[in-house]
Amino acid sequence: MRHELDETRFAASVCRLLDHGSENIDARLTGKLYEARRRAVARHAELSLATYSLAGVGQGVFRSMHQHYRGILALLALLTGAFGMHVWQENREAEALAEIDMALLSDEVSPNAYLDQGFMAWLDRLSQHDDDSLPE
Amino acid sequence: MLAALTPAAAAATTLVTPSKWSDLPADKQRILAPLSAEWGQLESWRKKKWLEIADRYPRMTPLEQQRVQQRMREWVRLTPEERKAAREKYRNLQNATSEQRDAVRQLWSEYETLPDEEKQRLRDSAAKSPPNRTSGPAKSGQ
């Protein structure tokens, strides 16, 4: 108990000495300390500002690039889709033509028959004798 | 986005149409041999059509295959209008009765046996007379 009281008195004495010392610091030293503190605070503010600015620029660039690539991807998808539809349509037409051309080319009647005006005239002449017996 | 890409992906499987004759598989080259000279000048969709015909070719009878081989080159050299006209008349004939179709086949085989002078006389008279219901586009020769 007595030991604790001694420690308390000793700590109070140290505080008094320190307070007395700080109140009596030389004015030049106080000025230097003030200037150093001011510089440190200013430096800290600059660093913070620079860090925030870089982060902002980075975020802006990222956002811009993200939107840019999204636009390109959407355009690519649109073009690919349109091209795919074109190819699909072309394939369908090719299949339809293949069907009729194959039948036409393999038929007993040559394709030339349908283009030969002499044959058509002959058909006409014969069909006049037997009207409606031949297809129009 | 994926939905938009799906038809493109499906189409991509049939997208690769060989543009060069040398790129065709050997079996297709054999079937389409009469077109070897013209193949490079054919449009993409026409190449696809002929490749489709080549796919179906093995299922044809030998007589039909022979006819296709004989008529292929001449067919590809027709103008688009001539091919269109021939297809239309062929379709019309398919809508006719089987008796009418048989009659046309019979008459064509008879017409082919006519002397060239007689055929030419018929063509000349057709060219002079006004268009009638069965006249085709101006095309001479067989």
Side-chain angles (χ1 to χ4, degrees), chain B residues 65-82:
Chain B
Q65 290 179 353
Q66 187 185 346
R67 287 177 186 148
V68 170
Q69 287 288 316
Q70 288 170 349
R71 296 165 179 173
M72 208 181 279
R73 180 174 289 168
E74 197 170 357
W75 179 250
V76 85
R77 287 176 179 170
L78 294 175
T79 66
E81 291 76 21
E82 287 172 331

Side-chain angles (χ1 to χ4, degrees), chain A residues 96-111 114, chain B residues 53 56 60 64 67-68 71 90 94 105:
Chain A
L97 280 179
E99 190 166 339
I100 189 167
D101 282 8
M102 196 177 76
L104 183 56
L105 293 174
S106 62
D107 194 74
E108 203 173 324
V109 179
S110 164
Y114 308 107
Chain B
I53 289 175
R56 301 177 188 197
M60 300 168 86
E64 288 173 335
R67 287 177 186 148
V68 170
R71 296 165 179 173
Y90 177 77
Q94 300 316 300
R105 288 188 182 111

Side-chain angles (χ1 to χ4, degrees), chain A residues 73-88, chain B residues 1-9 11:
Chain A
L73 279 175
L75 184 64
L76 277 176
L78 189 67
L79 289 174
T80 309
F83 183 66
M85 287 300 291
H86 167 73
V87 173
W88 180 73
Chain B
M1 189 177 291
L2 284 174
L5 289 170
T6 303

Side-chain angles (χ1 to χ4, degrees), chain B residues 5 7 9 17 21 27-28 33 38 40-41 44-47 52 54 78-79 86 100-101 112 114 126-127 135 142:
Chain B
L5 289 170
T17 306
W21 176 258
D27 61 327
K28 299 284 193 298
E38 287 89 358
Q41 283 77 51
S44 168
W45 63 269
R46 291 178 72 190
K47 287 176 182 168
E52 185 71 30
L78 294 175
T79 66
Q100 288 174 325
R101 288 200 299 271
E112 284 188 300
L114 289 178
S135 290
Q142 294 185 46

